[in-house]
Amino acid sequence: MSGDRDALRRELRQRRRAIPAAARIAAAERLAEQLLALPFAPASGHVAGYWAMDGEIALHAWQLRLPPTLHYCLPVLGADGQLRFAPWRRGDALVGNRFGIPEPDVAAESLLPAAAMALVVVPLVGFDARGQRLGMGGGWYDRSFAFRNRQGPPPWLVGAGFAAQQVQVLAAESWDVALDAVCSEQGTLLPATAGTPVPP
Ligand SMILES: Nc1nc2c(c(=O)[nH]1)N(C=O)[C@@H](CNc1ccc(C(=O)N[C@@H](CCC(=O)O)C(=O)O)cc1)CN2
Ligand SMILES: Nc1ncnc2c1ncn2[C@@H]1O[C@H](COP(=O)(O)OP(=O)(O)OP(=O)(O)O)[C@@H](O)[C@H]1O
């Protein structure tokens, strides 16, 4: 991993944490509106969010406004390096993972594979106008959704962040999975390639 990428990550994480409480509360509401208005917002099935940490934009407003036909899920880290997903409702048991992020406390058999999601809201440290994403550096989303580089949606991959996390251009790595959209409190970016099937 390049030092540039690391330095950018540090700077953008700091910027994300520095957003004042009142602004983040308002931003979460605006973000929910953007996510609910996506042209490809599914009407039924499973959708994945994340448990916001380290200054990430929160998803509670979106979760609370989902239609009852959609089941909200949270990511669970697998020992094999893949993310799996578990339905989670307020009050369901949680347990901290190796990074201290709460995840549903469920048996392995009841976890859903990444491909079972209709839409996934992807946490990000930075993004650019083409839908390239800089994450925390673990490669979790890239590994888990690598199949989206060979086939079209679903699952639709939608980055969520504060507008302050947008940068001019992120250098794409060969393993990076591009996002179909990025939503922030200021609007929705739909990169020109959104949903384009990858030729065989
Ligand atoms: N809310 C949320 N959940 C998520 C992610 C995320 O970015 N945000 N992930 C997105 O991939 C996955 C977890 N990936 C992560 C990768 C690195 C670190 C992290 O905090 N690294 C530390 C140092 C390592 C350590 O503590 O062992 C750090 O740099 O602060 C956290 C999560 C799955 N769940
Ligand atoms: N499809 C893949 N197969 C194998 N390894 C992968 C794959 N995708 C990413 N990786 C590994 O993950 C590492 C981290 O990738 P990267 O820096 O792009 O993470 P990130 O997208 O910022 O992290 P995250 O998704 O956890 O937020 C890379 O060094 C790469 O070796």
Side-chain angles (χ1 to χ4, degrees):
M1 189 189 313
S2 85
D4 280 6
R5 219 163 146 95
D6 259 1
L8 183 60
R9 218 176 241 128
R10 270 196 302 277
E11 186 197 323
L12 289 170
R13 284 179 64 178
Q14 172 52 35
R15 203 184 286 177
R16 189 168 80 170
R17 284 193 298 266
I19 293 168
R24 43 177 78 249
I25 294 165
E29 298 293 335
R30 299 285 89 78
L31 174 70
E33 290 163 9
Q34 297 297 324
L35 290 170
L36 292 166
L38 283 167
F40 45 75
S44 63
H46 292 90
V47 294
Y50 56 80
W51 190 283
M53 52 120 194
D54 190 47
E56 287 169 344
I57 194 163
L59 296 182
H60 60 272
W62 178 60
Q63 183 190 355
L64 289 169
R65 290 169 58 179
L66 287 173
T69 46
L70 280 175
H71 304 292
Y72 183 80
C73 299
L74 285 171
V76 175
L77 309 180
D80 58 357
Q82 298 285 321
L83 291 175
R84 288 181 186 76
F85 295 87
W88 185 80
R89 287 183 298 190
R90 192 165 55 102
D92 289 352
L94 292 161
V95 60
N97 66 23
R98 75 180 80 156
F99 300 114
I101 307 172
E103 49 183 51
D105 191 13
V106 296
E109 306 83 72
S110 50
L111 294 173
L112 301 167
M117 298 296 112
L119 179 147
V120 179
V121 179
V122 183
L124 50 78
V125 173
F127 65 97
D128 71 13
R130 295 172 309 161
Q132 288 293 329
R133 162 181 179 270
L134 180 70
M136 289 290 283
W140 287 94
Y141 281 89
D142 291 330
R143 278 191 305 276
S144 307
F145 295 95
F147 65 89
R148 272 296 321 273
N149 277 334
R150 300 183 293 273
Q151 70 187 54
W156 294 90
L157 303 179
V158 181
F162 295 100
Q165 289 170 254
Q166 183 167 358
V167 297
Q168 205 64 40
V169 182
L170 284 172
E173 306 282 358
S174 59
W175 59 78
D176 281 341
V177 177
L179 301 168
D180 299 303
V182 181
C183 293
S184 77
E185 78 282 17
Q186 288 188 8
T188 294
L189 259 164
L190 289 167
T193 52
T196 309
V198 184

